Amino acid sequence: MGLSTATSAVSEAIKLCVFDSRRGQQEGQELDKILFFYPADLPFTKQLYIIGLSEGLITFTRTFSPEAACEVIEAEKHSHVFFEAEPDIWMVLVVEKNKEVLATWRMDALQKLLKEIHSLFLMFHGPIRLLLEKEPTGEVSRSHLYSFIMDYLSDFLVGKKLQLPSFVDCLKERGTVHMLTIGRDAAIEVQALVRTLDSCIENASCRSLILFQDLLVSTSLSPEDTTNLFSYAVLRLTPSVLSSSASSWSYLLRGNTVSHVTQHGGNVGNRVIRPLQHGKWSKGKNGFLETDIWGMEASGRVNSTPKIWPFQTEKQMYLYVHHHKSLTLILLVPASSIPNGEQGISIIRQYFLENASLKIMTVEEKLSKGWGGENAYHVGGYRYLLIDGDRQISRASPPGKVTTLTKESLLAMSKLREKIDLEKSRAKQDGVVEEKEVEVTIRAKNNAWVISRITRRKELYMVLEKANETVLYASDMVEKFSNRYCNGAFSLD
Amino acid sequence: MSSGLSSLSSSDELDNFNPRTLPTTPPKPLEEELASLALTLPRPELLSDQEDVNVVSDGSAAVGFGFGIQRSDEESRAGVVCEENVVGNSAAAVVEGATGNSVWEGIDGTGVMWGRTNSEIEVDRPVSPSSSGYAGERGSSGASSGRSEMDGIADDEIQELNDDEIQELNDDDSVGDNSNSVHSWVPGKRHGDEDDASISWRKRKKHFFVLSHSGKPIYSRYGDEHKLAGFSASLQAIISFVEDGGDRVKWVRAGKHLVVFLVKGPIYLVCISCTEEPYESLRGQLELIYGQMILILTKSVNRCFERNPKFDMTSLLGGTDVVFSSLIHSFGWNPATFLHAYTCLPLAYGTRQAAGAILQDVADSGILFAILMCKHKVISLVGAQKASLHPDDMLLLANFVMSSESFRTSESFSPICLPRYNPMAFLYAYVHYFDANTYFMLLTTNSDSFYHLKECRIRIETVLLKSNVLSEVQRSMLDGGMHVEDVPVDSLPRYRTISPHLGQQRVPSEFTERFKESSAGMGGPGGLWHFIYRSIYLDQYVASEFSSPISSRQQQKRLYRAYQNIYDSMHDKEIGPHKTQFRRDENYVLLCWVTQDFELYAAFDPLADKAMAIKICNRVCQWIKDVENEVFLLGASPFSW
């Protein structure tokens, strides 16, 4: 099946483009602006229409709001969500509003999706601007963006349709990390393990990330890098992803990307790395994961070691992933301090065997014992989302429990979040985000309580169905929850 | 001659638009006729110097009408001669009116102000309004004099601008807190010298633009419309670009700015705001601006665009800046603009009944609506059978009358259109001020009924004076409405009246004292600062007076914006209305309660106790039920939408 047939089968209800407004400024060269467009087979006139409109409004809104240009265009049939990924490099997502139940979006959630795409892209490929500077025709950037974003979007394919996060996902927060709560003695073991991992190469600052199932256990990376690597791990690296990916990954990009690159007249010799490609990681020797995403060593026999660019270090680092049962250990080693390929991995393997194996086993045991199962964080009677903005951490009711809510309650929550998002963004622009305190308790038409509390960058969203009708009762519920699960962060004195 | 509503069914919109074009004259293109309105704008100097203008005495308030009446030059001149007499008397009337004496009889029908003169009335009167040739002047001399009149106004406005500069500073959205500003706001164009290249213009917090579908500017709140032609064209480009894509743009958000678009046929309206007001509120404001435009011109103005897409509408609205600026100003203080309800002046039940009875007396004689108002508050209102007046129309009508200085100075008869009643046709409004704030309007479909309406007014006025209604109105004005400090805090049911002069004094109870102690100088019991109660069935609301914690204009504006936001979040189109909302932020505790019968919005001290706030809200509702026949107009039966 060819690529173009695959994409044309996808409806035009969702469009996503990346463009550089510094390019193609001469008349007739506008196509040069386009770095990515989905669906790729949309006629160029239509592609240029979206980009023309976006650029027009960016320029227009800058007249009044020079510090923050166009973020959303809301039209009767479409919403356009903007994200300025890098200076003058814009990502615009156009979603169609139709009668379909799920077509109610929260703008901030869509913007976070664009942001996630870009953050992950940065981690693997570096800034788009840099790629464009290195190779001014833009072909390399285009082929990288194409495969990367298409691989990313494939996760949202339901049948032949892209299904982006909608109001039903109002009790989730993209771009945050989900933590595992661990006991004191497990914490000590974890700490010891982290120390061991981080000092695996002498005189080199190594970093590590430990996950138990889909939850973060520990990190020695900055919050931003943690978020990105955590997102990537949950998307492609955890044991559950590995076991399921073999069967379920979509057909969206089954075709060879090379065909696309040649379509665009691209540089075939410049190999396109597709870190988000499905089914490319597999468990190899001694629990280490292997992939050919980064190509082969010169010898042609061994896979190249995966490389990423964390923000924090700004140095290229090798990525090693190790599985032990439900545990995923991610180790970042400065590329300058270890050889690529087989030689490097054998050093790490040796080190693990000698210094870490036992600790890994102990940690896994302790965590497994304390693990309460997938509904571990369910709190009876509550459907909630808790966000710690400082640490980019969130915790929420298990998805299975959230689905028990009615559509009306979810819509009400989604709309409340939309309002709160706006208030937060205004506070951010005023530089008073730290002080932002707000408490909203709404009794919706269907008698559900829809609640939001913001205090010192901590956010709590809550839906209570089948609850008593007084505001005081709802406040009481929040108070109890806050005292019990949030160390009283949302309690009133 | 049939006109107005009776000719509504007529297929000829032109006739509706200008129902009484003299049969002797050939019909003229609508544009020309509309254009002639602007050319005939009166000039203030002319009024004082030559006294030859019968339209409106204040140029800045003048609504340039006088819908192309065709008549010969002789007729015109004759009209002018006559009018000199009229205006002479009119000036006398002004003086008398201003002194507040009730020597209305002395005016005796000569102090006629013609808002728009396009009628042919045959009456034996010393001065026939039909003789006003003012509007009908055509030909080069008329046109050129019209031109100079416009220039005169322009100069005048610039002067005014300088005078209001300070006022504007207080009022302007973009300027910081002004905590002790109880100043009178002066309507009119601001910063007419600015354009889109000015930094100051770009930084204004709330812009309103009206433009034509070809991109021609029609109105801009700030700056000179003509200098904004380029900017206007880019707004047009955005709208039409999205339309080309088979869609329609509703709003655009950039940082704190929200750009809201509203397309009304050939007329485009845009608001650019960073005031944190939600989309639905801003859109509602654009709807009102459009409605105000329709009130002045009727929707027939669309025909001009059908004939000539590049038609320049600014001329039609020349001199109406004050009407729009005062409407825009009201978005910051008048809850009617987002509640879509009107409010009444608090009066003893008997007094309002008396006023209603008087109005009812005249209401059957060809009168569609009789409205007695005090500023933006209704004293009484009567409608003909089956005719109902939408609160938005009342708002726009009251704004039109109050913002045009001319209406204050003498009785007037002016064509107006009620957009919610019938956007295609003119009605005729007879307007007369009884005192500085109290005015009376009679709306009719009959353009010939000036003298009849005048007689009605004289009759009504006599009765109003005899029955002391007008003095009660004055007293109510002085006493104000409901004060949060007076919220009864004991639960004993008893009849309370809100106006002390109505006889029953309040007896402060122990509870009242206790609550008052706890919140001395800080509003009402339980930290209550303000409330708005809207009766859904009556389409009316009552708002409390502002208490001391929100005494400044800036604080009041902020509170209204908070109300707008909470109103918006309660009334979501898809999932609303919600039932209850409690909201606490750094500025307030807001409590909102929506039932089938009423909506309550209450603002408290941000530190207010939740349980207490809820209790106080219940008390407020009870209180309003106790005094509802004083604060609401009950039994206004023709209200049937």
Side-chain angles (χ1 to χ4, degrees):
Chain A
M1 183 165 53
L3 183 85
S4 54
T5 50
T7 47
S8 63
V10 175
S11 89
E12 282 179 26
I14 285 164
K15 301 183 193 87
L16 172 59
C17 65
V18 181
F19 66 90
D20 176 5
S21 55
R22 292 184 196 168
R23 300 173 69 90
Q25 297 198 342
Q26 307 287 326
E27 216 180 307
Q29 294 179 355
E30 290 86 354
L31 271 180
D32 197 37
K33 289 177 187 295
I34 306 176
L35 301 178
F36 170 81
F37 206 100
Y38 170 87
D41 57 354
L42 195 72
F44 283 137
T45 49
K46 286 193 181 174
Q47 296 192 15
L48 286 176
Y49 171 81
I50 299 285
I51 284 155
L53 178 66
S54 306
E55 278 202 303
L57 276 158
I58 289 164
T59 314
F60 176 79
T61 49
R62 278 204 169 124
T63 325
F64 296 94
S65 173
E67 65 294 327
C70 192
E71 288 170 289
V72 181
I73 305 176
E74 184 77 2
E76 262 165 28
K77 296 179 189 158
H78 299 91
S79 303
H80 302 233
V81 183
F82 290 65
F83 175 62
E84 188 174 15
E86 293 169 31
D88 296 321
I89 294 177
W90 289 84
M91 301 175 79
V92 178
L93 178 62
V94 184
V95 291
E96 190 179 46
K97 297 186 242 178
N98 50 31
K99 295 266 158 16
E100 249 178 78
V101 199
L102 293 177
T104 302
W105 327 91
R106 187 167 61 85
M107 295 307 145
D108 190 64
L110 296 180
Q111 213 168 34
K112 287 231 161 75
L113 184 120
L114 296 177
K115 193 169 187 286
E116 182 172 86
I117 295 177
H118 182 251
S119 302
L120 291 175
F121 187 89
L122 277 184
M123 183 165 82
F124 291 110
H125 299 294
I128 302 172
R129 180 63 67 207
L130 207 70
L131 287 176
L132 288 170
E133 278 165 10
K134 273 191 210 156
E135 199 267 327
T137 67
E139 286 316 320
V140 172
S141 317
R142 283 191 185 97
S143 37
H144 277 80
L145 281 166
Y146 182 84
S147 356
F148 191 84
I149 299 176
M150 294 306 273
D151 285 335
Y152 180 88
L153 290 180
S154 67
D155 286 7
F156 295 92
L157 265 185
V158 177
K160 288 181 176 180
K161 265 191 177 155
L162 273 186
Q163 211 165 76
L164 297 183
S166 73
F167 73 94
V168 295
D169 302 290
C170 61
L171 290 177
K172 285 180 193 164
E173 183 72 351
R174 188 171 299 276
T176 56
V177 165
H178 309 207
M179 296 285 293
L180 179 77
T181 316
I182 51 176
R184 202 180 134 74
D185 55 336
I188 293 167
E189 298 293 340
V190 169
Q191 244 170 17
L193 175 58
V194 172
R195 261 198 307 275
T196 312
L197 295 179
D198 287 2
S199 53
C200 67
I201 305 288
E202 257 177 78
N203 301 325
S205 54
C206 304
R207 309 280 179 196
S208 66
L209 203 70
I210 303 174
L211 284 85
F212 180 80
Q213 302 200 352
D214 281 357
L215 300 166
L216 184 71
V217 177
S218 83
T219 175
S220 55
L221 284 155
S222 71
E224 203 173 16
D225 290 324
T226 302
T227 310
N228 289 336
L229 213 52
F230 175 81
S231 305
Y232 182 62
V234 171
L235 287 174
R236 298 292 180 265
L237 300 179
T238 58
S240 59
V241 175
L242 251 59
S243 60
S244 65
S245 70
S247 53
S248 70
W249 66 274
S250 79
Y251 66 93
L252 186 71
L253 247 188
R254 201 166 292 175
N256 188 344
T257 41
V258 174
S259 69
H260 171 76
V261 174
T262 43
Q263 263 175 20
H264 276 240
N267 182 353
V268 186
N270 201 330
R271 199 178 174 286
V272 177
I273 295 161
R274 294 175 53 189
L276 287 176
Q277 199 176 0
H278 284 267
K280 283 291 186 178
W281 288 88
S282 57
K283 204 165 166 179
K285 275 181 281 177
N286 303 329
F288 282 87
L289 299 201
E290 289 178 353
T291 180
D292 62 355
I293 291 174
W294 278 263
M296 306 293 265
E297 277 297 271
S299 63
R301 282 180 293 119
V302 200
N303 292 330
S304 258
T305 314
K307 294 183 277 270
I308 64 164
W309 298 87
F311 288 106
Q312 194 184 12
T313 58
E314 289 185 345
K315 274 186 281 181
Q316 198 172 39
M317 298 194 86
Y318 285 134
L319 176 76
Y320 300 96
V321 187
H322 179 84
H323 275 179
H324 174 70
K325 297 187 181 168
S326 299
L327 217 54
T328 305
L329 298 106
I330 299 173
L331 185 64
L332 295 181
V333 180
S336 52
S337 56
I338 194 168
N340 193 353
E342 186 63 22
Q343 221 182 330
I345 193 145
S346 65
I347 296 173
I348 299 296
R349 198 178 287 142
Q350 187 65 23
Y351 181 81
F352 265 59
L353 216 61
E354 285 169 12
N355 304 292
S357 285
L358 217 64
K359 292 190 174 95
I360 292 170
M361 262 144 66
T362 326
V363 165
E364 206 281 336
E365 234 165 75
K366 294 224 155 163
L367 297 184
S368 291
K369 222 184 270 170
W371 171 233
E374 60 172 1
N375 284 338
Y377 298 120
H378 174 58
V379 182
Y382 294 87
R383 300 294 180 271
Y384 70 94
L385 167 68
L386 201 57
I387 304 170
D388 183 335
D390 282 326
R391 300 191 294 158
Q392 297 182 20
I393 290 173
S394 74
R395 169 162 302 168
S397 289
K401 296 287 178 185
V402 174
T403 52
T404 64
L405 292 177
T406 62
K407 183 194 158 208
E408 288 75 25
S409 306
L410 289 165
L411 262 174
M413 177 43 97
S414 182
K415 302 223 168 190
L416 173 59
R417 284 202 69 188
E418 188 92 58
K419 290 238 165 212
I420 298 286
D421 289 342
L422 255 179
E423 289 188 37
K424 269 163 44 196
S425 105
R426 284 184 194 131
K428 203 170 162 191
Q429 285 167 60
D430 290 338
V432 292
V433 78
E434 297 293 330
E435 293 105 78
K436 185 74 195 168
E437 299 260 343
V438 65
E439 172 187 355
V440 180
T441 309
I442 294 176
R443 174 90 161 167
K445 208 157 111 186
N446 68 344
N447 289 332
W449 286 104
V450 180
I451 299 165
S452 160
R453 288 265 180 104
I454 312 289
T455 182
R456 277 151 294 175
R457 301 209 63 194
K458 286 190 172 61
E459 302 166 35
L460 173 64
Y461 302 94
M462 200 176 260
V463 181
L464 307 172
E465 283 184 342
K466 302 177 199 121
N468 187 295
E469 66 175 326
T470 70
V471 176
L472 292 177
Y473 172 85
S475 300
D476 228 42
M477 291 283 279
V478 176
E479 199 84 358
K480 274 185 205 152
F481 185 91
S482 162
N483 289 335
R484 194 141 172 222
Y485 302 100
C486 318
N487 300 320
F490 301 97
S491 307
L492 301 162
D493 22 80
Chain B
M1 178 179 179
S2 90
S3 62
L5 290 189
S6 50
S7 62
L8 270 183
S9 53
S10 156
S11 58
D12 189 348
E13 283 175 33
L14 190 59
D15 264 0
N16 282 333
F17 192 59
N18 185 8
R20 280 152 295 98
T21 302
L22 289 186
T24 48
T25 41
K28 234 184 256 211
L30 195 52
E31 297 90 313
E32 259 182 69
E33 297 194 23
L34 290 174
S36 74
L37 303 182
L39 296 180
T40 53
L41 274 175
R43 200 170 65 180
E45 308 92 86
L46 283 180
L47 281 172
S48 49
D49 297 342
Q50 300 164 23
E51 294 188 334
D52 69 340
V53 177
N54 61 332
V55 176
V56 198
S57 64
D58 179 348
S60 61
V63 184
F65 311 104
F67 277 57
I69 295 183
Q70 313 293 314
R71 63 184 76 236
S72 69
D73 281 350
E74 286 98 281
E75 270 177 323
S76 300
R77 273 184 231 119
V80 170
V81 172
C82 288
E83 264 129 45
E84 286 179 6
N85 298 329
V86 174
V87 177
N89 285 324
S90 171
V94 174
V95 174
E96 283 160 4
T99 56
N101 290 334
S102 43
V103 254
W104 301 100
E105 293 79 21
I107 299 163
D108 190 35
T110 41
V112 180
M113 294 275 296
W114 291 94
R116 302 172 211 172
T117 52
N118 48 357
S119 54
E120 176 82 347
I121 304 174
E122 287 169 46
V123 245
D124 320 317
R125 289 275 173 167
V127 183
S128 164
S130 66
S131 59
S132 68
Y134 157 74
E137 285 168 322
R138 305 202 61 86
S140 59
S141 67
S144 62
S145 80
R147 183 67 246 162
S148 69
E149 280 165 10
M150 277 185 83
D151 295 342
I153 285 169
D155 293 340
D156 196 46
E157 277 182 356
I158 288 162
Q159 292 226 312
E160 267 178 31
L161 258 179
N162 295 336
D163 292 341
D164 326 314
E165 212 56 70
I166 295 155
Q167 217 97 53
E168 168 62 4
L169 276 178
N170 289 333
D171 175 63
D172 197 294
D173 294 326
S174 59
V175 182
D177 193 62
N178 173 43
S179 47
N180 51 354
S181 59
V182 187
H183 61 273
S184 61
W185 176 83
V186 180
K189 178 78 142 187
R190 302 287 194 266
H191 311 290
D193 52 334
E194 294 178 346
D195 59 33
D196 55 329
S198 329
I199 297 294
S200 56
W201 185 87
R202 292 177 179 199
K203 284 192 172 163
R204 304 250 162 252
K205 282 200 162 179
K206 197 168 172 188
H207 286 274
F208 285 101
F209 305 97
V210 184
L211 52 137
S212 76
H213 62 159
S214 68
K216 276 212 164 68
I218 295 170
Y219 172 79
S220 168
R221 182 187 190 188
Y222 300 115
D224 177 347
E225 283 87 3
H226 298 288
K227 285 198 220 161
L228 291 170
F231 182 79
S232 202
S234 38
L235 291 175
Q236 188 271 340
I238 292 169
I239 295 167
S240 63
F241 200 79
V242 177
E243 273 177 5
D244 289 347
D247 209 343
R248 187 168 268 202
V249 61
K250 287 163 78 180
W251 53 264
V252 173
R253 198 178 67 223
K256 290 163 113 182
H257 281 79
L258 192 59
V259 188
V260 177
F261 298 87
L262 180 66
V263 172
K264 290 285 185 185
I267 295 172
Y268 294 173
L269 298 104
V270 183
C271 173
I272 302 179
S273 148
C274 58
T275 56
E276 308 191 356
E277 288 163 277
Y279 162 72
E280 290 293 347
S281 298
L282 296 174
R283 188 198 140 94
Q285 293 170 12
L286 289 178
E287 293 271 8
L288 286 172
I289 290 178
Y290 178 71
Q292 191 74 74
M293 207 163 270
I294 295 305
L295 184 133
I296 296 169
L297 296 173
T298 79
K299 222 173 162 181
S300 315
V301 75
N302 289 2
R303 292 282 294 272
C304 300
F305 290 102
E306 280 166 28
R307 293 180 191 175
N308 173 16
K310 300 210 162 166
F311 175 66
D312 182 3
M313 207 175 120
T314 43
S315 50
L316 293 188
L317 292 168
T320 56
D321 272 343
V322 276
V323 180
F324 291 101
S325 70
S326 111
L327 177 67
I328 290 168
H329 180 66
S330 75
F331 298 153
W333 67 263
N334 189 348
T337 58
F338 65 91
L339 289 175
H340 307 290
Y342 65 94
T343 192
C344 290
L345 186 76
L347 281 177
Y349 181 65
T351 310
R352 203 187 309 280
Q353 285 288 89
I358 303 160
L359 299 189
Q360 192 72 59
D361 259 3
V362 299
D364 45 3
S365 48
I367 290 165
L368 206 53
F369 299 108
I371 313 164
L372 183 60
M373 292 187 78
C374 183
K375 291 191 165 169
H376 66 290
K377 295 182 177 179
V378 171
I379 298 165
S380 191
L381 148 71
V382 166
Q385 249 187 343
K386 288 183 182 168
S388 58
L389 191 54
H390 193 280
D392 284 356
D393 281 351
M394 286 170 74
L395 171 82
L396 295 173
L397 182 60
N399 178 62
F400 180 70
V401 169
M402 281 192 292
S403 59
S404 314
E405 201 52 43
S406 58
F407 286 114
R408 292 173 192 277
T409 50
S410 181
E411 62 184 331
S412 316
F413 191 60
S414 166
I416 54 103
C417 165
L418 295 179
R420 298 274 195 154
Y421 184 74
N422 183 344
M424 295 311 295
F426 275 123
L427 295 176
Y428 300 87
Y430 173 89
V431 182
H432 181 85
Y433 268 81
F434 290 140
D435 59 44
N437 298 313
T438 314
Y439 55 98
F440 176 60
M441 296 183 282
L442 288 169
L443 304 188
T444 177
T445 55
N446 185 353
S447 58
D448 300 340
S449 57
F450 172 78
Y451 288 108
H452 170 62
L453 299 184
K454 182 183 178 68
E455 277 161 18
C456 290
R457 187 268 298 167
I458 293 169
R459 253 164 58 209
I460 288 170
E461 188 169 9
T462 315
V463 187
L464 285 177
L465 285 169
K466 274 189 194 148
S467 58
N468 284 330
V469 170
L470 293 179
S471 54
E472 288 297 327
V473 166
Q474 297 275 10
R475 289 174 71 167
S476 173
M477 281 285 287
L478 289 174
D479 292 338
M482 304 180 89
H483 295 267
V484 291
E485 293 82 357
D486 297 338
V487 173
V489 285
D490 53 350
S491 52
L492 296 171
R494 63 194 157 110
Y495 179 79
R496 294 179 53 88
T497 140
I498 56 158
S499 342
H501 65 274
L502 298 176
Q504 283 167 292
Q505 288 298 323
R506 283 169 223 126
V507 187
S509 66
E510 257 178 71
F511 297 95
T512 327
E513 287 309 305
R514 208 189 74 215
F515 276 110
K516 280 192 171 163
E517 274 164 34
S518 63
S519 57
M522 291 304 292
L528 177 65
W529 283 357
H530 189 262
F531 65 82
I532 300 177
Y533 177 100
R534 175 187 176 207
S535 161
I536 291 168
Y537 175 68
L538 296 171
D539 263 320
Q540 296 173 40
Y541 74 90
V542 58
S544 72
E545 300 289 322
F546 289 109
S547 58
S548 51
I550 34 174
S551 51
S552 83
R553 168 92 183 89
Q554 216 61 35
Q555 287 163 330
Q556 292 166 8
K557 212 177 193 176
R558 189 199 291 153
L559 176 61
Y560 273 128
R561 297 209 164 132
Y563 277 144
Q564 280 180 31
N565 268 301
I566 202 164
Y567 179 90
D568 179 62
S569 72
M570 288 298 281
H571 292 270
D572 186 280
K573 285 203 171 128
E574 212 173 338
I575 49 164
H578 295 321
K579 291 183 171 169
T580 323
Q581 181 167 172
F582 176 91
R583 183 192 154 93
R584 186 198 302 272
D585 60 25
E586 62 274 26
N587 299 317
Y588 317 99
V589 159
L590 292 176
L591 246 164
C592 176
W593 186 14
V594 176
T595 71
Q596 285 188 328
D597 303 323
F598 68 86
E599 293 181 6
L600 177 75
Y601 299 86
F604 291 81
D605 184 300
L607 300 174
D609 175 69
K610 197 178 278 175
M612 181 61 85
I614 293 163
K615 204 175 270 176
I616 295 299
C617 282
N618 283 314
R619 293 285 154 79
V620 168
C621 291
Q622 188 53 50
W623 187 27
I624 290 168
K625 289 215 171 76
D626 289 346
V627 297
E628 68 178 351
N629 53 16
E630 291 174 33
V631 295
F632 291 133
L633 172 63
L634 300 174
S637 50
F639 282 54
S640 54
W641 57 79

